[in-house]
Amino acid sequence: AVVSTQSTGIIPILVSLILLVFTYVLLKQLFGKAKGNTIIMMGIEGSGKTALYAQLVAGKEVQTQSSLTENTSQLSAPPLKVVDVPGNARLRGDIFTKYSSAVRGVVVVVDSADFVDKVRECSEVLFEVLLNDNVRSSKCPILVFCNKQDEEMSRGPDPIKVAMERELTTLNNTAANALSDDSGARKMLGAENEAIKLDKLGHKVTAVGGVCVGPDMDISNLNSWIATL
């Protein structure tokens, strides 16, 4: 039998194309999209978020007040942008969304000394962060910075994380019964009545303690986390 040299020559080309497509898909799954360059700081008013931002970017204490706009700065090492989002609940959503397309990591600042009274509000911030489309697709690391650990009534990082998981479960169940969005889908962290566990959401969620002002100032845990991004 006579085999066409033209048809036999096509086979290696087809094999090469298949291997090329397979390699592309594999690399995309392994590495995903390029990492963003922005650390976004979130937290309710009074958490010490802006004071922590000042220590991080300027290494000093500053007088802070509630703001209607974000603060932005550039770190030199690593070369990342830092955005301090206002704590006002009516403002933070749109501003967070604005910067989330370039998110590299999110810091949620919590007042450890006032946490018992503000656990729901603090958890709502984390809930917003976890439901953000860019945060979900990038699976960026999230740091819960438990501020004011030097105060007598402060809670430790582990109890705060557990309490926030309970609140996230409640918020998720509430979302399950809410109206769907424009696409017809409800944004949820898990199935209805499922106990939300931060370690199982696909992000690396870490809770650490620290102090951003005063003689016991210590933000080393934040700096260590940023070094891993």
Side-chain angles (χ1 to χ4, degrees):
V2 178
V3 180
S4 170
T5 56
Q6 183 177 5
S7 61
T8 55
I10 292 175
I11 294 175
I13 296 174
L14 290 175
V15 171
S16 298
L17 286 174
I18 292 171
L19 287 173
L20 185 64
V21 172
F22 176 78
T23 302
Y24 171 77
V25 172
L26 180 62
L27 289 174
K28 190 171 183 180
Q29 288 180 340
L30 286 175
F31 300 104
K33 64 180 184 180
K35 288 183 178 181
N37 68 341
T38 304
I39 298 170
I40 306 177
M41 301 183 70
M42 297 279 284
I44 66 172
E45 293 176 310
S47 63
K49 173 178 53 61
T50 300
L52 179 63
Y53 165 84
Q55 283 288 2
L56 175 63
V57 303
K60 63 181 181 181
E61 294 184 20
V62 297
Q63 288 293 111
T64 63
Q65 59 184 12
S66 297
S67 175
L68 301 180
T69 59
E70 67 271 30
N71 298 304
T72 63
S73 291
Q74 186 77 27
L75 297 178
S76 56
L80 296 173
K81 183 176 186 177
V82 182
V83 179
D84 168 29
V85 176
N88 186 291
R90 290 179 294 178
L91 299 173
R92 67 175 180 246
D94 288 342
I95 295 175
F96 179 63
T97 300
K98 172 184 173 182
Y99 290 97
S100 66
S101 60
V103 66
R104 181 72 161 264
V106 180
V107 180
V108 177
V109 185
V110 172
D111 181 343
S112 304
D114 196 29
F115 179 74
V116 173
D117 294 329
K118 301 291 180 64
V119 57
R120 185 58 177 261
E121 293 175 70
C122 294
S123 300
E124 285 173 347
V125 174
L126 182 56
F127 193 66
E128 290 175 31
V129 169
L130 289 167
L131 288 181
N132 177 274
D133 290 336
N134 290 312
V135 170
R136 298 183 87 163
S137 63
S138 68
K139 290 182 169 42
C140 68
I142 297 170
L143 182 74
V144 179
F145 186 86
C146 304
N147 194 23
K148 307 183 184 181
Q149 287 289 304
D150 57 331
E151 297 192 18
E152 186 177 352
M153 299 299 292
S154 64
R155 294 295 185 94
D158 290 339
I160 285 176
K161 187 176 179 179
V162 170
M164 293 183 86
E165 287 178 332
R166 287 197 298 266
E167 287 297 325
L168 289 173
T169 299
T170 300
L171 290 167
N172 192 64
N173 288 335
T174 301
N177 296 314
L179 294 175
S180 60
D181 62 20
D182 294 338
S183 67
R186 293 180 177 85
K187 284 194 170 185
M188 298 171 60
L189 296 179
E192 187 175 3
N193 297 321
E194 176 184 349
I196 302 301
K197 297 296 181 183
L198 291 171
D199 294 337
K200 296 182 179 180
L201 293 181
H203 300 269
K204 185 177 181 181
V205 182
T206 309
V208 301
V211 180
C212 67
V213 295
D216 297 320
M217 192 279 294
D218 181 5
I219 65 168
S220 58
N221 286 326
L222 172 60
N223 288 320
S224 297
W225 178 80
I226 290 174
T228 67
L229 297 179

